[in-house]
Amino acid sequence: MKVIDMHCDTLLGIALNRQKGIECSLRNNDLNISLEKMKQGDYLLQNFAIFTHLKEVKEPVKFVMDMIDLFYHEMDQNKDIIKPIQTYQDIIDNQNNGLMSAMLTLEEGAVVNNDLAYLRNYYRLGVRMITLTWNFENGIGFPNFSKNGYGEYDDKNGLTDFGIEYIKECERLGIIIDVSHLNDAGFYDVLKYTQSPFVASHSNARSVCSHARNMSDDMIRQLSKRGGVMGINFAADFLGEHADMSTIDNMVKHIKYIRNIGGIDCIGLGTDFDGIPQNLELKDASYMPMLAKALRKENFTDEEIEKIFYKNVLRLYQQVLK
């Protein structure tokens, strides 16, 4: 079963290990995602996010440039296994050549210095998806973030004027807009001011688990109507309220619920690997067949599982990537 994962923080994991003097590469490491683990999990494509913590990084643009350099260095070192993509056809070509694919993404849209020229340059450097906010107000919009994590949602503060310009430019360029972390009001502004499908790359169902980062029933329906996809997040807190463990059973609960609300075509995977606590039953990329097995036990057809694992996201990439 092929896999497309819309979100991981593995690039940061590699960088942090190297800062500590630990030898670490994309090919082999002790992280959730390595090329060897991806091969075992039958990966078609992995999105690699550049996460920028605005309150800890003094020079966000330089940080992003350094991380883009790390990404392409790893691609060059491992071109016998994986190759970066910028278009849908690149994905197909890589698959036909026996290679996995890598998409470069940003997690924190404000790394543009309030200047859309930076956004265009990120596109030129291969960025094809952007999570508009992280956990801070950022000049584009506002996050759904609460100290205890549950039951607090912001439906008042929409996108800024610059944020509206930003998403329109993303759409024009062919950058996939990602509303994970964005608040409810911001979600509806994305719906209002764009026409293309967009994603919630690593968010679950709020009615199953009331975490601030999860999506309401109406948001799921609207995302589905637009042709968008939401990626199941493997973090324990997003799967079950105050859960001690990230379990496959809870993943299946969310998938079944979302299928009932938005239909099978809006469900994908967004593991958040290497960015979440390690209390994981599905421990790394090599364990992905366990989720497929669990879905079969719940009477999901192979066609439905293929849609969840990669076909829904691949269809969206075909529509949006230029």
mmCIF file of all heavy atoms in Angstrom, residues 106-153:
data_model
loop_
_atom_site.group_PDB
_atom_site.id
_atom_site.type_symbol
_atom_site.label_atom_id
_atom_site.label_comp_id
_atom_site.label_asym_id
_atom_site.label_seq_id
_atom_site.Cartn_x
_atom_site.Cartn_y
_atom_site.Cartn_z
ATOM 1 N N LEU A 106 6.488 24.606 4.161
ATOM 2 C CA LEU A 106 6.774 25.505 5.275
ATOM 3 C C LEU A 106 5.696 25.375 6.328
ATOM 4 O O LEU A 106 4.500 25.331 6.002
ATOM 5 C CB LEU A 106 6.819 26.967 4.809
ATOM 6 C CG LEU A 106 7.828 27.351 3.729
ATOM 7 C CD1 LEU A 106 7.709 28.847 3.423
ATOM 8 C CD2 LEU A 106 9.245 26.998 4.149
ATOM 9 N N GLU A 107 6.099 25.308 7.584
ATOM 10 C CA GLU A 107 5.159 25.368 8.696
ATOM 11 C C GLU A 107 5.450 26.654 9.468
ATOM 12 O O GLU A 107 6.321 26.716 10.321
ATOM 13 C CB GLU A 107 5.309 24.155 9.620
ATOM 14 C CG GLU A 107 4.268 24.144 10.731
ATOM 15 C CD GLU A 107 4.299 22.891 11.584
ATOM 16 O OE1 GLU A 107 5.376 22.261 11.682
ATOM 17 O OE2 GLU A 107 3.252 22.546 12.168
ATOM 18 N N GLU A 108 4.733 27.686 9.117
ATOM 19 C CA GLU A 108 4.785 29.057 9.631
ATOM 20 C C GLU A 108 4.928 29.996 8.441
ATOM 21 O O GLU A 108 6.004 30.237 7.906
ATOM 22 C CB GLU A 108 5.917 29.278 10.623
ATOM 23 C CG GLU A 108 6.045 30.718 11.109
ATOM 24 C CD GLU A 108 4.725 31.300 11.644
ATOM 25 O OE1 GLU A 108 4.349 31.005 12.793
ATOM 26 O OE2 GLU A 108 4.071 32.056 10.896
ATOM 27 N N GLY A 109 3.777 30.507 8.023
ATOM 28 C CA GLY A 109 3.752 31.294 6.794
ATOM 29 C C GLY A 109 4.373 32.665 6.895
ATOM 30 O O GLY A 109 4.610 33.321 5.877
ATOM 31 N N ALA A 110 4.663 33.122 8.107
ATOM 32 C CA ALA A 110 5.134 34.495 8.295
ATOM 33 C C ALA A 110 6.612 34.696 7.990
ATOM 34 O O ALA A 110 7.136 35.775 8.211
ATOM 35 C CB ALA A 110 4.844 34.954 9.723
ATOM 36 N N VAL A 111 7.283 33.678 7.462
ATOM 37 C CA VAL A 111 8.714 33.798 7.174
ATOM 38 C C VAL A 111 8.941 34.516 5.837
ATOM 39 O O VAL A 111 9.860 34.185 5.085
ATOM 40 C CB VAL A 111 9.405 32.416 7.182
ATOM 41 C CG1 VAL A 111 9.438 31.862 8.584
ATOM 42 C CG2 VAL A 111 8.694 31.438 6.235
ATOM 43 N N VAL A 112 8.106 35.520 5.559
ATOM 44 C CA VAL A 112 8.203 36.282 4.307
ATOM 45 C C VAL A 112 8.467 37.765 4.549
ATOM 46 O O VAL A 112 8.458 38.551 3.607
ATOM 47 C CB VAL A 112 6.918 36.117 3.448
ATOM 48 C CG1 VAL A 112 6.715 34.664 3.045
ATOM 49 C CG2 VAL A 112 5.695 36.654 4.187
ATOM 50 N N ASN A 113 8.668 38.145 5.821
ATOM 51 C CA ASN A 113 8.935 39.554 6.142
ATOM 52 C C ASN A 113 7.855 40.489 5.581
ATOM 53 O O ASN A 113 8.153 41.599 5.119
ATOM 54 C CB ASN A 113 10.308 39.993 5.624
ATOM 55 C CG ASN A 113 11.449 39.441 6.453
ATOM 56 O OD1 ASN A 113 11.234 38.932 7.548
ATOM 57 N ND2 ASN A 113 12.663 39.524 5.939
ATOM 58 N N ASN A 114 6.609 40.027 5.623
ATOM 59 C CA ASN A 114 5.481 40.821 5.123
ATOM 60 C C ASN A 114 5.683 41.276 3.675
ATOM 61 O O ASN A 114 5.241 42.357 3.289
ATOM 62 C CB ASN A 114 5.227 42.037 6.027
ATOM 63 C CG ASN A 114 4.779 41.644 7.409
ATOM 64 O OD1 ASN A 114 3.848 40.851 7.555
ATOM 65 N ND2 ASN A 114 5.426 42.168 8.425
ATOM 66 N N ASP A 115 6.319 40.445 2.882
ATOM 67 C CA ASP A 115 6.658 40.795 1.504
ATOM 68 C C ASP A 115 6.423 39.569 0.625
ATOM 69 O O ASP A 115 7.077 38.533 0.791
ATOM 70 C CB ASP A 115 8.124 41.226 1.449
ATOM 71 C CG ASP A 115 8.532 41.750 0.076
ATOM 72 O OD1 ASP A 115 7.810 41.502 -0.908
ATOM 73 O OD2 ASP A 115 9.603 42.382 -0.002
ATOM 74 N N LEU A 116 5.492 39.678 -0.308
ATOM 75 C CA LEU A 116 5.143 38.540 -1.143
ATOM 76 C C LEU A 116 6.265 38.142 -2.103
ATOM 77 O O LEU A 116 6.239 37.044 -2.654
ATOM 78 C CB LEU A 116 3.860 38.828 -1.926
ATOM 79 C CG LEU A 116 2.594 38.984 -1.071
ATOM 80 C CD1 LEU A 116 1.384 39.245 -1.966
ATOM 81 C CD2 LEU A 116 2.349 37.775 -0.184
ATOM 82 N N ALA A 117 7.259 39.002 -2.273
ATOM 83 C CA ALA A 117 8.417 38.616 -3.078
ATOM 84 C C ALA A 117 9.123 37.418 -2.459
ATOM 85 O O ALA A 117 9.614 36.539 -3.181
ATOM 86 C CB ALA A 117 9.392 39.787 -3.214
ATOM 87 N N TYR A 118 9.183 37.371 -1.123
ATOM 88 C CA TYR A 118 9.782 36.222 -0.452
ATOM 89 C C TYR A 118 8.966 34.963 -0.730
ATOM 90 O O TYR A 118 9.527 33.883 -0.937
ATOM 91 C CB TYR A 118 9.867 36.464 1.059
ATOM 92 C CG TYR A 118 10.962 37.388 1.483
ATOM 93 C CD1 TYR A 118 10.773 38.770 1.490
ATOM 94 C CD2 TYR A 118 12.199 36.898 1.906
ATOM 95 C CE1 TYR A 118 11.781 39.639 1.880
ATOM 96 C CE2 TYR A 118 13.210 37.749 2.313
ATOM 97 C CZ TYR A 118 12.992 39.117 2.286
ATOM 98 O OH TYR A 118 13.996 39.970 2.671
ATOM 99 N N LEU A 119 7.639 35.097 -0.721
ATOM 100 C CA LEU A 119 6.776 33.952 -1.016
ATOM 101 C C LEU A 119 7.076 33.410 -2.413
ATOM 102 O O LEU A 119 7.211 32.199 -2.608
ATOM 103 C CB LEU A 119 5.305 34.374 -0.905
ATOM 104 C CG LEU A 119 4.256 33.315 -1.252
ATOM 105 C CD1 LEU A 119 4.317 32.159 -0.268
ATOM 106 C CD2 LEU A 119 2.856 33.931 -1.272
ATOM 107 N N ARG A 120 7.195 34.314 -3.377
ATOM 108 C CA ARG A 120 7.491 33.882 -4.740
ATOM 109 C C ARG A 120 8.864 33.211 -4.825
ATOM 110 O O ARG A 120 9.047 32.231 -5.566
ATOM 111 C CB ARG A 120 7.400 35.073 -5.693
ATOM 112 C CG ARG A 120 5.955 35.559 -5.895
ATOM 113 C CD ARG A 120 5.861 36.638 -6.946
ATOM 114 N NE ARG A 120 6.283 37.941 -6.451
ATOM 115 C CZ ARG A 120 5.494 38.813 -5.832
ATOM 116 N NH1 ARG A 120 4.217 38.521 -5.613
ATOM 117 N NH2 ARG A 120 5.963 39.973 -5.425
ATOM 118 N N ASN A 121 9.818 33.717 -4.057
ATOM 119 C CA ASN A 121 11.148 33.100 -4.074
ATOM 120 C C ASN A 121 11.142 31.723 -3.418
ATOM 121 O O ASN A 121 11.842 30.811 -3.875
ATOM 122 C CB ASN A 121 12.170 34.013 -3.402
ATOM 123 C CG ASN A 121 12.610 35.137 -4.323
ATOM 124 O OD1 ASN A 121 12.659 34.967 -5.537
ATOM 125 N ND2 ASN A 121 12.910 36.297 -3.769
ATOM 126 N N TYR A 122 10.353 31.550 -2.364
ATOM 127 C CA TYR A 122 10.221 30.214 -1.784
ATOM 128 C C TYR A 122 9.642 29.246 -2.812
ATOM 129 O O TYR A 122 10.062 28.087 -2.909
ATOM 130 C CB TYR A 122 9.342 30.246 -0.533
ATOM 131 C CG TYR A 122 9.969 30.915 0.661
ATOM 132 C CD1 TYR A 122 9.225 31.771 1.478
ATOM 133 C CD2 TYR A 122 11.299 30.687 0.995
ATOM 134 C CE1 TYR A 122 9.784 32.381 2.576
ATOM 135 C CE2 TYR A 122 11.877 31.296 2.101
ATOM 136 C CZ TYR A 122 11.116 32.148 2.890
ATOM 137 O OH TYR A 122 11.685 32.753 3.978
ATOM 138 N N TYR A 123 8.675 29.744 -3.591
ATOM 139 C CA TYR A 123 8.122 28.900 -4.651
ATOM 140 C C TYR A 123 9.214 28.507 -5.642
ATOM 141 O O TYR A 123 9.316 27.343 -6.049
ATOM 142 C CB TYR A 123 6.984 29.639 -5.362
ATOM 143 C CG TYR A 123 6.411 28.869 -6.530
ATOM 144 C CD1 TYR A 123 5.461 27.877 -6.328
ATOM 145 C CD2 TYR A 123 6.841 29.112 -7.833
ATOM 146 C CE1 TYR A 123 4.937 27.155 -7.391
ATOM 147 C CE2 TYR A 123 6.327 28.395 -8.910
ATOM 148 C CZ TYR A 123 5.381 27.416 -8.673
ATOM 149 O OH TYR A 123 4.877 26.701 -9.730
ATOM 150 N N ARG A 124 10.026 29.467 -6.029
ATOM 151 C CA ARG A 124 11.115 29.189 -6.976
ATOM 152 C C ARG A 124 12.110 28.181 -6.415
ATOM 153 O O ARG A 124 12.753 27.440 -7.170
ATOM 154 C CB ARG A 124 11.818 30.498 -7.344
ATOM 155 C CG ARG A 124 10.940 31.465 -8.130
ATOM 156 C CD ARG A 124 11.625 32.795 -8.378
ATOM 157 N NE ARG A 124 10.720 33.719 -9.082
ATOM 158 C CZ ARG A 124 10.313 34.887 -8.585
ATOM 159 N NH1 ARG A 124 10.742 35.304 -7.394
ATOM 160 N NH2 ARG A 124 9.500 35.639 -9.279
ATOM 161 N N LEU A 125 12.228 28.142 -5.083
ATOM 162 C CA LEU A 125 13.129 27.196 -4.427
ATOM 163 C C LEU A 125 12.480 25.835 -4.173
ATOM 164 O O LEU A 125 13.102 24.952 -3.588
ATOM 165 C CB LEU A 125 13.638 27.786 -3.116
ATOM 166 C CG LEU A 125 14.616 28.961 -3.264
ATOM 167 C CD1 LEU A 125 14.848 29.643 -1.921
ATOM 168 C CD2 LEU A 125 15.938 28.478 -3.848
ATOM 169 N N GLY A 126 11.225 25.678 -4.599
ATOM 170 C CA GLY A 126 10.589 24.362 -4.528
ATOM 171 C C GLY A 126 9.529 24.180 -3.474
ATOM 172 O O GLY A 126 8.968 23.093 -3.346
ATOM 173 N N VAL A 127 9.212 25.213 -2.679
ATOM 174 C CA VAL A 127 8.156 25.095 -1.666
ATOM 175 C C VAL A 127 6.809 24.953 -2.367
ATOM 176 O O VAL A 127 6.457 25.777 -3.228
ATOM 177 C CB VAL A 127 8.155 26.319 -0.723
ATOM 178 C CG1 VAL A 127 6.918 26.305 0.166
ATOM 179 C CG2 VAL A 127 9.421 26.341 0.119
ATOM 180 N N ARG A 128 6.049 23.938 -1.985
ATOM 181 C CA ARG A 128 4.777 23.685 -2.648
ATOM 182 C C ARG A 128 3.586 23.568 -1.689
ATOM 183 O O ARG A 128 2.459 23.338 -2.132
ATOM 184 C CB ARG A 128 4.880 22.410 -3.503
ATOM 185 C CG ARG A 128 5.754 22.591 -4.745
ATOM 186 C CD ARG A 128 5.196 23.641 -5.678
ATOM 187 N NE ARG A 128 5.981 23.805 -6.892
ATOM 188 C CZ ARG A 128 6.987 24.678 -7.030
ATOM 189 N NH1 ARG A 128 7.328 25.462 -6.012
ATOM 190 N NH2 ARG A 128 7.638 24.777 -8.170
ATOM 191 N N MET A 129 3.808 23.736 -0.405
ATOM 192 C CA MET A 129 2.709 23.772 0.565
ATOM 193 C C MET A 129 3.145 24.656 1.731
ATOM 194 O O MET A 129 4.314 24.610 2.133
ATOM 195 C CB MET A 129 2.348 22.369 1.065
ATOM 196 C CG MET A 129 1.185 22.333 2.062
ATOM 197 S SD MET A 129 0.871 20.660 2.738
ATOM 198 C CE MET A 129 0.239 19.826 1.283
ATOM 199 N N ILE A 130 2.205 25.461 2.264
ATOM 200 C CA ILE A 130 2.530 26.329 3.395
ATOM 201 C C ILE A 130 1.422 26.256 4.434
ATOM 202 O O ILE A 130 0.250 26.515 4.137
ATOM 203 C CB ILE A 130 2.734 27.786 2.956
ATOM 204 C CG1 ILE A 130 3.919 27.900 1.981
ATOM 205 C CG2 ILE A 130 2.967 28.684 4.172
ATOM 206 C CD1 ILE A 130 4.176 29.305 1.467
ATOM 207 N N THR A 131 1.805 25.897 5.668
ATOM 208 C CA THR A 131 0.915 26.009 6.822
ATOM 209 C C THR A 131 0.915 27.475 7.246
ATOM 210 O O THR A 131 1.948 28.006 7.651
ATOM 211 C CB THR A 131 1.410 25.124 7.978
ATOM 212 O OG1 THR A 131 1.718 23.814 7.485
ATOM 213 C CG2 THR A 131 0.365 25.018 9.072
ATOM 214 N N LEU A 132 -0.230 28.131 7.128
ATOM 215 C CA LEU A 132 -0.274 29.591 7.246
ATOM 216 C C LEU A 132 0.197 30.096 8.601
ATOM 217 O O LEU A 132 0.896 31.114 8.684
ATOM 218 C CB LEU A 132 -1.697 30.088 6.974
ATOM 219 C CG LEU A 132 -2.247 29.817 5.568
ATOM 220 C CD1 LEU A 132 -3.680 30.319 5.457
ATOM 221 C CD2 LEU A 132 -1.371 30.454 4.501
ATOM 222 N N THR A 133 -0.185 29.422 9.675
ATOM 223 C CA THR A 133 0.221 29.838 11.024
ATOM 224 C C THR A 133 0.769 28.633 11.781
ATOM 225 O O THR A 133 0.513 27.484 11.421
ATOM 226 C CB THR A 133 -0.952 30.406 11.842
ATOM 227 O OG1 THR A 133 -1.900 29.354 12.090
ATOM 228 C CG2 THR A 133 -1.637 31.548 11.123
ATOM 229 N N TRP A 134 1.502 28.925 12.830
ATOM 230 C CA TRP A 134 1.758 27.928 13.864
ATOM 231 C C TRP A 134 0.953 28.367 15.076
ATOM 232 O O TRP A 134 -0.235 28.681 14.922
ATOM 233 C CB TRP A 134 3.265 27.760 14.130
ATOM 234 C CG TRP A 134 3.553 26.580 15.036
ATOM 235 C CD1 TRP A 134 3.218 25.282 14.805
ATOM 236 C CD2 TRP A 134 4.184 26.617 16.309
ATOM 237 N NE1 TRP A 134 3.606 24.486 15.856
ATOM 238 C CE2 TRP A 134 4.208 25.281 16.810
ATOM 239 C CE3 TRP A 134 4.736 27.625 17.092
ATOM 240 C CZ2 TRP A 134 4.762 24.952 18.054
ATOM 241 C CZ3 TRP A 134 5.302 27.294 18.322
ATOM 242 C CH2 TRP A 134 5.303 25.958 18.788
ATOM 243 N N ASN A 135 1.534 28.465 16.242
ATOM 244 C CA ASN A 135 0.752 28.753 17.449
ATOM 245 C C ASN A 135 0.740 30.222 17.855
ATOM 246 O O ASN A 135 0.362 30.552 18.973
ATOM 247 C CB ASN A 135 1.276 27.912 18.616
ATOM 248 C CG ASN A 135 0.933 26.449 18.466
ATOM 249 O OD1 ASN A 135 0.041 26.093 17.708
ATOM 250 N ND2 ASN A 135 1.638 25.593 19.179
ATOM 251 N N PHE A 136 1.181 31.109 16.936
ATOM 252 C CA PHE A 136 1.199 32.539 17.243
ATOM 253 C C PHE A 136 0.443 33.324 16.175
ATOM 254 O O PHE A 136 0.469 32.969 14.994
ATOM 255 C CB PHE A 136 2.639 33.075 17.287
ATOM 256 C CG PHE A 136 3.592 32.266 18.117
ATOM 257 C CD1 PHE A 136 4.760 31.762 17.558
ATOM 258 C CD2 PHE A 136 3.339 32.007 19.453
ATOM 259 C CE1 PHE A 136 5.650 31.024 18.309
ATOM 260 C CE2 PHE A 136 4.217 31.264 20.215
ATOM 261 C CZ PHE A 136 5.381 30.768 19.648
ATOM 262 N N GLU A 137 -0.178 34.440 16.595
ATOM 263 C CA GLU A 137 -0.624 35.440 15.631
ATOM 264 C C GLU A 137 0.600 35.886 14.830
ATOM 265 O O GLU A 137 1.667 36.120 15.401
ATOM 266 C CB GLU A 137 -1.228 36.618 16.379
ATOM 267 C CG GLU A 137 -1.643 37.771 15.515
ATOM 268 C CD GLU A 137 -2.075 38.978 16.329
ATOM 269 O OE1 GLU A 137 -2.280 38.846 17.553
ATOM 270 O OE2 GLU A 137 -2.182 40.062 15.729
ATOM 271 N N ASN A 138 0.455 36.020 13.510
ATOM 272 C CA ASN A 138 1.679 36.196 12.726
ATOM 273 C C ASN A 138 1.606 37.192 11.569
ATOM 274 O O ASN A 138 2.476 37.201 10.703
ATOM 275 C CB ASN A 138 2.149 34.840 12.190
ATOM 276 C CG ASN A 138 1.207 34.267 11.129
ATOM 277 O OD1 ASN A 138 0.158 34.835 10.831
ATOM 278 N ND2 ASN A 138 1.604 33.142 10.542
ATOM 279 N N GLY A 139 0.604 38.045 11.549
ATOM 280 C CA GLY A 139 0.493 39.007 10.462
ATOM 281 C C GLY A 139 -0.299 38.486 9.281
ATOM 282 O O GLY A 139 -0.703 39.248 8.402
ATOM 283 N N ILE A 140 -0.513 37.171 9.243
ATOM 284 C CA ILE A 140 -1.353 36.543 8.218
ATOM 285 C C ILE A 140 -2.712 36.206 8.816
ATOM 286 O O ILE A 140 -3.754 36.448 8.222
ATOM 287 C CB ILE A 140 -0.687 35.260 7.679
ATOM 288 C CG1 ILE A 140 0.620 35.592 6.956
ATOM 289 C CG2 ILE A 140 -1.628 34.496 6.745
ATOM 290 C CD1 ILE A 140 1.461 34.369 6.634
ATOM 291 N N GLY A 141 -2.667 35.626 10.014
ATOM 292 C CA GLY A 141 -3.894 35.201 10.675
ATOM 293 C C GLY A 141 -3.616 34.806 12.108
ATOM 294 O O GLY A 141 -2.599 35.186 12.699
ATOM 295 N N PHE A 142 -4.525 34.015 12.652
ATOM 296 C CA PHE A 142 -4.497 33.664 14.063
ATOM 297 C C PHE A 142 -4.639 32.148 14.219
ATOM 298 O O PHE A 142 -5.369 31.512 13.462
ATOM 299 C CB PHE A 142 -5.643 34.362 14.803
ATOM 300 C CG PHE A 142 -5.607 35.855 14.695
ATOM 301 C CD1 PHE A 142 -6.078 36.491 13.545
ATOM 302 C CD2 PHE A 142 -5.109 36.628 15.717
ATOM 303 C CE1 PHE A 142 -6.047 37.871 13.431
ATOM 304 C CE2 PHE A 142 -5.071 38.012 15.619
ATOM 305 C CZ PHE A 142 -5.541 38.633 14.476
ATOM 306 N N PRO A 143 -3.985 31.578 15.217
ATOM 307 C CA PRO A 143 -4.081 30.131 15.406
ATOM 308 C C PRO A 143 -5.253 29.742 16.303
ATOM 309 O O PRO A 143 -5.783 30.574 17.050
ATOM 310 C CB PRO A 143 -2.760 29.809 16.118
ATOM 311 C CG PRO A 143 -2.530 31.028 16.975
ATOM 312 C CD PRO A 143 -3.033 32.195 16.168
ATOM 313 N N ASN A 144 -5.660 28.498 16.213
ATOM 314 C CA ASN A 144 -6.474 27.897 17.278
ATOM 315 C C ASN A 144 -5.495 27.310 18.279
ATOM 316 O O ASN A 144 -4.882 26.269 18.034
ATOM 317 C CB ASN A 144 -7.385 26.794 16.732
ATOM 318 C CG ASN A 144 -8.805 27.270 16.542
ATOM 319 O OD1 ASN A 144 -9.170 28.363 16.954
ATOM 320 N ND2 ASN A 144 -9.623 26.464 15.892
ATOM 321 N N PHE A 145 -5.337 27.994 19.389
ATOM 322 C CA PHE A 145 -4.363 27.552 20.385
ATOM 323 C C PHE A 145 -4.897 27.881 21.763
ATOM 324 O O PHE A 145 -5.347 29.004 22.016
ATOM 325 C CB PHE A 145 -3.025 28.256 20.179
ATOM 326 C CG PHE A 145 -1.976 27.882 21.201
ATOM 327 C CD1 PHE A 145 -1.327 26.665 21.108
ATOM 328 C CD2 PHE A 145 -1.676 28.739 22.237
ATOM 329 C CE1 PHE A 145 -0.369 26.303 22.050
ATOM 330 C CE2 PHE A 145 -0.718 28.394 23.190
ATOM 331 C CZ PHE A 145 -0.059 27.174 23.088
ATOM 332 N N SER A 146 -4.901 26.902 22.655
ATOM 333 C CA SER A 146 -5.289 27.139 24.039
ATOM 334 C C SER A 146 -4.303 26.437 24.953
ATOM 335 O O SER A 146 -3.688 25.441 24.580
ATOM 336 C CB SER A 146 -6.705 26.619 24.302
ATOM 337 O OG SER A 146 -6.783 25.225 24.112
ATOM 338 N N LYS A 147 -4.119 26.985 26.131
ATOM 339 C CA LYS A 147 -3.104 26.448 27.040
ATOM 340 C C LYS A 147 -3.391 25.017 27.445
ATOM 341 O O LYS A 147 -2.476 24.213 27.605
ATOM 342 C CB LYS A 147 -2.985 27.353 28.278
ATOM 343 C CG LYS A 147 -2.360 28.705 27.967
ATOM 344 C CD LYS A 147 -2.185 29.546 29.214
ATOM 345 C CE LYS A 147 -1.527 30.879 28.876
ATOM 346 N NZ LYS A 147 -1.361 31.731 30.083
ATOM 347 N N ASN A 148 -4.664 24.678 27.642
ATOM 348 C CA ASN A 148 -4.969 23.294 28.026
ATOM 349 C C ASN A 148 -5.240 22.408 26.809
ATOM 350 O O ASN A 148 -5.391 21.204 26.937
ATOM 351 C CB ASN A 148 -6.153 23.240 29.003
ATOM 352 C CG ASN A 148 -7.474 23.631 28.372
ATOM 353 O OD1 ASN A 148 -7.561 23.843 27.160
ATOM 354 N ND2 ASN A 148 -8.503 23.753 29.189
ATOM 355 N N GLY A 149 -5.298 23.044 25.614
ATOM 356 C CA GLY A 149 -5.410 22.267 24.383
ATOM 357 C C GLY A 149 -6.814 21.978 23.917
ATOM 358 O O GLY A 149 -7.034 21.752 22.735
ATOM 359 N N TYR A 150 -7.796 21.996 24.819
ATOM 360 C CA TYR A 150 -9.126 21.499 24.476
ATOM 361 C C TYR A 150 -10.212 22.562 24.640
ATOM 362 O O TYR A 150 -10.179 23.380 25.548
ATOM 363 C CB TYR A 150 -9.478 20.284 25.339
ATOM 364 C CG TYR A 150 -8.509 19.139 25.157
ATOM 365 C CD1 TYR A 150 -7.466 18.943 26.053
ATOM 366 C CD2 TYR A 150 -8.611 18.275 24.072
ATOM 367 C CE1 TYR A 150 -6.560 17.899 25.880
ATOM 368 C CE2 TYR A 150 -7.711 17.239 23.884
ATOM 369 C CZ TYR A 150 -6.689 17.056 24.798
ATOM 370 O OH TYR A 150 -5.789 16.030 24.614
ATOM 371 N N GLY A 151 -11.189 22.509 23.733
ATOM 372 C CA GLY A 151 -12.440 23.221 23.915
ATOM 373 C C GLY A 151 -12.420 24.721 23.691
ATOM 374 O O GLY A 151 -13.407 25.391 23.970
ATOM 375 N N GLU A 152 -11.335 25.287 23.170
ATOM 376 C CA GLU A 152 -11.280 26.724 22.925
ATOM 377 C C GLU A 152 -10.992 26.962 21.446
ATOM 378 O O GLU A 152 -9.952 26.543 20.935
ATOM 379 C CB GLU A 152 -10.189 27.374 23.786
ATOM 380 C CG GLU A 152 -10.448 27.252 25.276
ATOM 381 C CD GLU A 152 -9.344 27.877 26.108
ATOM 382 O OE1 GLU A 152 -8.611 28.738 25.572
ATOM 383 O OE2 GLU A 152 -9.211 27.511 27.279
ATOM 384 N N TYR A 153 -11.921 27.660 20.779
ATOM 385 C CA TYR A 153 -11.805 27.866 19.338
ATOM 386 C C TYR A 153 -12.084 29.329 19.020
ATOM 387 O O TYR A 153 -13.021 29.924 19.553
ATOM 388 C CB TYR A 153 -12.800 26.969 18.584
ATOM 389 C CG TYR A 153 -12.876 25.575 19.149
ATOM 390 C CD1 TYR A 153 -14.004 25.155 19.848
ATOM 391 C CD2 TYR A 153 -11.808 24.692 19.020
ATOM 392 C CE1 TYR A 153 -14.073 23.875 20.385
ATOM 393 C CE2 TYR A 153 -11.868 23.418 19.550
ATOM 394 C CZ TYR A 153 -13.004 23.021 20.246
ATOM 395 O OH TYR A 153 -13.061 21.764 20.793
#
